[in-house]
PDB file of all heavy atoms in Angstrom:
ATOM      1  N   ALA Q   1       0.817  -1.203  -0.002  1.00  0.00           N
ATOM      2  CA  ALA Q   1       0.006   0.011  -0.050  1.00  0.00           C
ATOM      3  C   ALA Q   1       0.872   1.239  -0.008  1.00  0.00           C
ATOM      4  O   ALA Q   1       0.553   2.206  -0.674  1.00  0.00           O
ATOM      5  CB  ALA Q   1      -0.911  -0.041   1.179  1.00  0.00           C
ATOM      6  N   SER Q   2       1.978   1.213   0.746  1.00  0.00           N
ATOM      7  CA  SER Q   2       2.885   2.391   0.841  1.00  0.00           C
ATOM      8  C   SER Q   2       3.627   2.603  -0.516  1.00  0.00           C
ATOM      9  O   SER Q   2       4.169   3.646  -0.771  1.00  0.00           O
ATOM     10  CB  SER Q   2       3.927   2.155   1.945  1.00  0.00           C
ATOM     11  OG  SER Q   2       4.816   1.156   1.534  1.00  0.00           O
ATOM     12  N   MET Q   3       3.583   1.551  -1.401  1.00  0.00           N
ATOM     13  CA  MET Q   3       4.241   1.621  -2.663  1.00  0.00           C
ATOM     14  C   MET Q   3       3.357   2.032  -3.850  1.00  0.00           C
ATOM     15  O   MET Q   3       3.755   2.163  -4.927  1.00  0.00           O
ATOM     16  CB  MET Q   3       4.893   0.328  -3.014  1.00  0.00           C
ATOM     17  CG  MET Q   3       5.942  -0.136  -1.935  1.00  0.00           C
ATOM     18  SD  MET Q   3       6.585  -1.799  -2.380  1.00  0.00           S
ATOM     19  CE  MET Q   3       7.564  -1.415  -3.894  1.00  0.00           C
ATOM     20  N   GLY Q   4       2.029   2.171  -3.472  1.00  0.00           N
ATOM     21  CA  GLY Q   4       1.074   2.584  -4.494  1.00  0.00           C
ATOM     22  C   GLY Q   4       0.530   1.348  -5.238  1.00  0.00           C
ATOM     23  O   GLY Q   4      -0.194   1.527  -6.254  1.00  0.00           O
ATOM     24  N   ILE Q   5       0.735   0.119  -4.781  1.00  0.00           N
ATOM     25  CA  ILE Q   5       0.196  -1.098  -5.421  1.00  0.00           C
ATOM     26  C   ILE Q   5      -1.080  -1.417  -4.655  1.00  0.00           C
ATOM     27  O   ILE Q   5      -1.148  -1.413  -3.411  1.00  0.00           O
ATOM     28  CB  ILE Q   5       1.259  -2.229  -5.267  1.00  0.00           C
ATOM     29  CG1 ILE Q   5       2.458  -1.834  -6.138  1.00  0.00           C
ATOM     30  CG2 ILE Q   5       0.624  -3.558  -5.795  1.00  0.00           C
ATOM     31  CD1 ILE Q   5       3.664  -2.886  -5.869  1.00  0.00           C
ATOM     32  N   PRO Q   6      -2.133  -1.800  -5.385  1.00  0.00           N
ATOM     33  CA  PRO Q   6      -3.408  -2.079  -4.691  1.00  0.00           C
ATOM     34  C   PRO Q   6      -3.353  -3.360  -3.830  1.00  0.00           C
ATOM     35  O   PRO Q   6      -2.558  -4.218  -4.093  1.00  0.00           O
ATOM     36  CB  PRO Q   6      -4.351  -2.311  -5.870  1.00  0.00           C
ATOM     37  CG  PRO Q   6      -3.503  -2.676  -7.036  1.00  0.00           C
ATOM     38  CD  PRO Q   6      -2.232  -1.853  -6.834  1.00  0.00           C
ATOM     39  N   THR Q   7      -4.104  -3.331  -2.797  1.00  0.00           N
ATOM     40  CA  THR Q   7      -4.203  -4.505  -1.886  1.00  0.00           C
ATOM     41  C   THR Q   7      -5.065  -5.525  -2.614  1.00  0.00           C
ATOM     42  O   THR Q   7      -5.735  -5.302  -3.600  1.00  0.00           O
ATOM     43  CB  THR Q   7      -4.809  -4.103  -0.538  1.00  0.00           C
ATOM     44  OG1 THR Q   7      -6.202  -3.654  -0.845  1.00  0.00           O
ATOM     45  CG2 THR Q   7      -4.061  -2.948   0.152  1.00  0.00           C
ATOM     46  N   VAL Q   8      -5.067  -6.716  -2.011  1.00  0.00           N
ATOM     47  CA  VAL Q   8      -6.010  -7.803  -2.477  1.00  0.00           C
ATOM     48  C   VAL Q   8      -7.439  -7.298  -2.504  1.00  0.00           C
ATOM     49  O   VAL Q   8      -8.200  -7.545  -3.545  1.00  0.00           O
ATOM     50  CB  VAL Q   8      -5.960  -9.085  -1.575  1.00  0.00           C
ATOM     51  CG1 VAL Q   8      -7.055 -10.089  -1.919  1.00  0.00           C
ATOM     52  CG2 VAL Q   8      -4.574  -9.774  -1.783  1.00  0.00           C
ATOM     53  N   GLU Q   9      -7.885  -6.636  -1.453  1.00  0.00           N
ATOM     54  CA  GLU Q   9      -9.200  -6.143  -1.379  1.00  0.00           C
ATOM     55  C   GLU Q   9      -9.475  -5.142  -2.443  1.00  0.00           C
ATOM     56  O   GLU Q   9     -10.594  -5.151  -3.055  1.00  0.00           O
ATOM     57  CB  GLU Q   9      -9.511  -5.577   0.003  1.00  0.00           C
ATOM     58  CG  GLU Q   9      -9.455  -6.636   1.164  1.00  0.00           C
ATOM     59  CD  GLU Q   9      -8.039  -6.991   1.504  1.00  0.00           C
ATOM     60  OE1 GLU Q   9      -7.087  -6.292   1.141  1.00  0.00           O
ATOM     61  OE2 GLU Q   9      -7.909  -8.082   2.211  1.00  0.00           O
ATOM     62  N   GLU Q  10      -8.588  -4.167  -2.665  1.00  0.00           N
ATOM     63  CA  GLU Q  10      -8.801  -3.156  -3.626  1.00  0.00           C
ATOM     64  C   GLU Q  10      -8.832  -3.764  -5.097  1.00  0.00           C
ATOM     65  O   GLU Q  10      -9.691  -3.343  -5.913  1.00  0.00           O
ATOM     66  CB  GLU Q  10      -7.681  -2.051  -3.563  1.00  0.00           C
ATOM     67  CG  GLU Q  10      -7.829  -1.236  -2.268  1.00  0.00           C
ATOM     68  CD  GLU Q  10      -6.490  -0.485  -2.038  1.00  0.00           C
ATOM     69  OE1 GLU Q  10      -5.526  -0.818  -2.504  1.00  0.00           O
ATOM     70  OE2 GLU Q  10      -6.636   0.568  -1.311  1.00  0.00           O
ATOM     71  N   TYR Q  11      -7.958  -4.677  -5.322  1.00  0.00           N
ATOM     72  CA  TYR Q  11      -7.912  -5.200  -6.644  1.00  0.00           C
ATOM     73  C   TYR Q  11      -9.051  -6.049  -6.959  1.00  0.00           C
ATOM     74  O   TYR Q  11      -9.689  -6.042  -8.058  1.00  0.00           O
ATOM     75  CB  TYR Q  11      -6.603  -6.141  -6.783  1.00  0.00           C
ATOM     76  CG  TYR Q  11      -6.220  -6.343  -8.264  1.00  0.00           C
ATOM     77  CD1 TYR Q  11      -5.615  -5.280  -8.950  1.00  0.00           C
ATOM     78  CD2 TYR Q  11      -6.361  -7.604  -8.865  1.00  0.00           C
ATOM     79  CE1 TYR Q  11      -5.112  -5.557 -10.306  1.00  0.00           C
ATOM     80  CE2 TYR Q  11      -5.970  -7.832 -10.107  1.00  0.00           C
ATOM     81  CZ  TYR Q  11      -5.335  -6.810 -10.830  1.00  0.00           C
ATOM     82  OH  TYR Q  11      -4.970  -7.055 -12.135  1.00  0.00           O
ATOM     83  N   THR Q  12      -9.569  -6.827  -5.983  1.00  0.00           N
ATOM     84  CA  THR Q  12     -10.757  -7.691  -6.087  1.00  0.00           C
ATOM     85  C   THR Q  12     -11.975  -6.786  -6.300  1.00  0.00           C
ATOM     86  O   THR Q  12     -12.803  -7.089  -7.142  1.00  0.00           O
ATOM     87  CB  THR Q  12     -10.946  -8.563  -4.869  1.00  0.00           C
ATOM     88  OG1 THR Q  12      -9.783  -9.411  -4.762  1.00  0.00           O
ATOM     89  CG2 THR Q  12     -12.176  -9.370  -5.006  1.00  0.00           C
ATOM     90  N   GLU Q  13     -12.098  -5.672  -5.507  1.00  0.00           N
ATOM     91  CA  GLU Q  13     -13.228  -4.797  -5.664  1.00  0.00           C
ATOM     92  C   GLU Q  13     -13.323  -4.197  -7.058  1.00  0.00           C
ATOM     93  O   GLU Q  13     -14.411  -4.154  -7.634  1.00  0.00           O
ATOM     94  CB  GLU Q  13     -13.158  -3.694  -4.671  1.00  0.00           C
ATOM     95  CG  GLU Q  13     -14.398  -2.847  -4.564  1.00  0.00           C
ATOM     96  CD  GLU Q  13     -14.537  -1.761  -5.636  1.00  0.00           C
ATOM     97  OE1 GLU Q  13     -13.494  -1.238  -6.043  1.00  0.00           O
ATOM     98  OE2 GLU Q  13     -15.647  -1.399  -6.003  1.00  0.00           O
ATOM     99  N   ALA Q  14     -12.233  -3.818  -7.600  1.00  0.00           N
ATOM    100  CA  ALA Q  14     -12.158  -3.240  -8.989  1.00  0.00           C
ATOM    101  C   ALA Q  14     -12.661  -4.274  -9.990  1.00  0.00           C
ATOM    102  O   ALA Q  14     -13.405  -3.959 -10.861  1.00  0.00           O
ATOM    103  CB  ALA Q  14     -10.755  -2.772  -9.319  1.00  0.00           C
ATOM    104  N   TYR Q  15     -12.200  -5.524  -9.898  1.00  0.00           N
ATOM    105  CA  TYR Q  15     -12.550  -6.589 -10.813  1.00  0.00           C
ATOM    106  C   TYR Q  15     -14.124  -6.813 -10.678  1.00  0.00           C
ATOM    107  O   TYR Q  15     -14.807  -7.004 -11.636  1.00  0.00           O
ATOM    108  CB  TYR Q  15     -11.773  -7.843 -10.579  1.00  0.00           C
ATOM    109  CG  TYR Q  15     -12.214  -8.931 -11.481  1.00  0.00           C
ATOM    110  CD1 TYR Q  15     -11.842  -9.060 -12.823  1.00  0.00           C
ATOM    111  CD2 TYR Q  15     -13.032  -9.976 -10.977  1.00  0.00           C
ATOM    112  CE1 TYR Q  15     -12.248 -10.072 -13.611  1.00  0.00           C
ATOM    113  CE2 TYR Q  15     -13.507 -11.019 -11.769  1.00  0.00           C
ATOM    114  CZ  TYR Q  15     -12.996 -11.061 -13.040  1.00  0.00           C
ATOM    115  OH  TYR Q  15     -13.410 -12.110 -13.874  1.00  0.00           O
ATOM    116  N   CYS Q  16     -14.589  -6.883  -9.406  1.00  0.00           N
ATOM    117  CA  CYS Q  16     -15.973  -7.236  -9.226  1.00  0.00           C
ATOM    118  C   CYS Q  16     -16.844  -6.092  -9.784  1.00  0.00           C
ATOM    119  O   CYS Q  16     -17.867  -6.390 -10.373  1.00  0.00           O
ATOM    120  CB  CYS Q  16     -16.224  -7.422  -7.702  1.00  0.00           C
ATOM    121  SG  CYS Q  16     -15.646  -8.924  -7.064  1.00  0.00           S
ATOM    122  N   ARG Q  17     -16.415  -4.835  -9.671  1.00  0.00           N
ATOM    123  CA  ARG Q  17     -17.158  -3.700 -10.133  1.00  0.00           C
ATOM    124  C   ARG Q  17     -17.197  -3.833 -11.679  1.00  0.00           C
ATOM    125  O   ARG Q  17     -18.292  -3.529 -12.226  1.00  0.00           O
ATOM    126  CB  ARG Q  17     -16.505  -2.389  -9.688  1.00  0.00           C
ATOM    127  CG  ARG Q  17     -17.086  -1.193 -10.383  1.00  0.00           C
ATOM    128  CD  ARG Q  17     -16.457   0.107  -9.769  1.00  0.00           C
ATOM    129  NE  ARG Q  17     -15.084   0.057  -9.517  1.00  0.00           N
ATOM    130  CZ  ARG Q  17     -14.181   0.206 -10.382  1.00  0.00           C
ATOM    131  NH1 ARG Q  17     -14.456   0.526 -11.648  1.00  0.00           N
ATOM    132  NH2 ARG Q  17     -12.880   0.158 -10.010  1.00  0.00           N
ATOM    133  N   ARG Q  18     -16.099  -4.147 -12.283  1.00  0.00           N
ATOM    134  CA  ARG Q  18     -16.064  -4.221 -13.789  1.00  0.00           C
ATOM    135  C   ARG Q  18     -16.829  -5.409 -14.333  1.00  0.00           C
ATOM    136  O   ARG Q  18     -17.206  -5.398 -15.480  1.00  0.00           O
ATOM    137  CB  ARG Q  18     -14.575  -4.279 -14.232  1.00  0.00           C
ATOM    138  CG  ARG Q  18     -13.909  -2.964 -14.017  1.00  0.00           C
ATOM    139  CD  ARG Q  18     -12.460  -3.025 -14.455  1.00  0.00           C
ATOM    140  NE  ARG Q  18     -11.886  -1.663 -14.559  1.00  0.00           N
ATOM    141  CZ  ARG Q  18     -10.769  -1.235 -13.949  1.00  0.00           C
ATOM    142  NH1 ARG Q  18     -10.148  -2.110 -13.088  1.00  0.00           N
ATOM    143  NH2 ARG Q  18     -10.386  -0.017 -14.091  1.00  0.00           N
ATOM    144  N   THR Q  19     -16.981  -6.413 -13.506  1.00  0.00           N
ATOM    145  CA  THR Q  19     -17.683  -7.658 -14.000  1.00  0.00           C
ATOM    146  C   THR Q  19     -19.006  -7.905 -13.424  1.00  0.00           C
ATOM    147  O   THR Q  19     -19.619  -8.940 -13.541  1.00  0.00           O
ATOM    148  CB  THR Q  19     -16.755  -8.954 -13.812  1.00  0.00           C
ATOM    149  OG1 THR Q  19     -16.471  -9.009 -12.374  1.00  0.00           O
ATOM    150  CG2 THR Q  19     -15.496  -8.859 -14.651  1.00  0.00           C
ATOM    151  N   HIS Q  20     -19.441  -6.920 -12.684  1.00  0.00           N
ATOM    152  CA  HIS Q  20     -20.837  -6.878 -12.029  1.00  0.00           C
ATOM    153  C   HIS Q  20     -21.051  -8.067 -11.174  1.00  0.00           C
ATOM    154  O   HIS Q  20     -21.986  -8.844 -11.182  1.00  0.00           O
ATOM    155  CB  HIS Q  20     -21.865  -6.887 -13.224  1.00  0.00           C
ATOM    156  CG  HIS Q  20     -21.673  -5.793 -14.242  1.00  0.00           C
ATOM    157  ND1 HIS Q  20     -21.799  -4.418 -13.970  1.00  0.00           N
ATOM    158  CD2 HIS Q  20     -21.259  -5.948 -15.483  1.00  0.00           C
ATOM    159  CE1 HIS Q  20     -21.548  -3.772 -15.114  1.00  0.00           C
ATOM    160  NE2 HIS Q  20     -21.182  -4.621 -16.016  1.00  0.00           N
ATOM    161  N   ARG Q  21     -20.097  -8.157 -10.182  1.00  0.00           N
ATOM    162  CA  ARG Q  21     -20.211  -9.162  -9.089  1.00  0.00           C
ATOM    163  C   ARG Q  21     -20.281  -8.394  -7.746  1.00  0.00           C
ATOM    164  O   ARG Q  21     -19.759  -7.334  -7.579  1.00  0.00           O
ATOM    165  CB  ARG Q  21     -19.013 -10.058  -9.037  1.00  0.00           C
ATOM    166  CG  ARG Q  21     -18.762 -10.831 -10.276  1.00  0.00           C
ATOM    167  CD  ARG Q  21     -17.494 -11.702 -10.185  1.00  0.00           C
ATOM    168  NE  ARG Q  21     -17.226 -12.419 -11.349  1.00  0.00           N
ATOM    169  CZ  ARG Q  21     -17.735 -13.718 -11.567  1.00  0.00           C
ATOM    170  NH1 ARG Q  21     -18.449 -14.245 -10.623  1.00  0.00           N
ATOM    171  NH2 ARG Q  21     -17.487 -14.356 -12.676  1.00  0.00           N
ATOM    172  N   ASP Q  22     -20.953  -9.032  -6.794  1.00  0.00           N
ATOM    173  CA  ASP Q  22     -20.968  -8.457  -5.453  1.00  0.00           C
ATOM    174  C   ASP Q  22     -19.683  -8.768  -4.719  1.00  0.00           C
ATOM    175  O   ASP Q  22     -19.057  -7.893  -3.993  1.00  0.00           O
ATOM    176  CB  ASP Q  22     -22.183  -9.046  -4.668  1.00  0.00           C
ATOM    177  CG  ASP Q  22     -23.476  -8.611  -5.148  1.00  0.00           C
ATOM    178  OD1 ASP Q  22     -23.581  -7.523  -5.784  1.00  0.00           O
ATOM    179  OD2 ASP Q  22     -24.438  -9.421  -5.132  1.00  0.00           O
ATOM    180  N   SER Q  23     -19.112  -9.971  -4.876  1.00  0.00           N
ATOM    181  CA  SER Q  23     -17.888 -10.364  -4.254  1.00  0.00           C
ATOM    182  C   SER Q  23     -17.421 -11.636  -4.746  1.00  0.00           C
ATOM    183  O   SER Q  23     -18.110 -12.274  -5.591  1.00  0.00           O
ATOM    184  CB  SER Q  23     -18.149 -10.524  -2.651  1.00  0.00           C
ATOM    185  OG  SER Q  23     -19.096 -11.542  -2.438  1.00  0.00           O
ATOM    186  N   ILE Q  24     -16.215 -12.111  -4.272  1.00  0.00           N
ATOM    187  CA  ILE Q  24     -15.716 -13.413  -4.663  1.00  0.00           C
ATOM    188  C   ILE Q  24     -15.561 -14.258  -3.408  1.00  0.00           C
ATOM    189  O   ILE Q  24     -14.625 -13.990  -2.599  1.00  0.00           O
ATOM    190  CB  ILE Q  24     -14.393 -13.288  -5.412  1.00  0.00           C
ATOM    191  CG1 ILE Q  24     -14.567 -12.505  -6.716  1.00  0.00           C
ATOM    192  CG2 ILE Q  24     -13.881 -14.716  -5.808  1.00  0.00           C
ATOM    193  CD1 ILE Q  24     -13.315 -12.229  -7.476  1.00  0.00           C
TER     194      ILE Q  24
END
């Protein structure tokens, strides 16, 4: 996070938003 790389949660949320999922 301090390096500007997304966390697991952030990366997963972005994919779910783009693929119309609530969660994995």
Side-chain angles (χ1 to χ4, degrees):
S2 69
M3 302 177 67
I5 296 173
T7 63
V8 166
E9 294 76 17
E10 290 168 338
Y11 201 74
T12 300
E13 188 280 328
Y15 176 81
C16 287
R17 171 171 43 80
R18 288 179 167 125
T19 56
H20 310 291
R21 297 177 181 274
D22 294 329
S23 63
I24 300 177

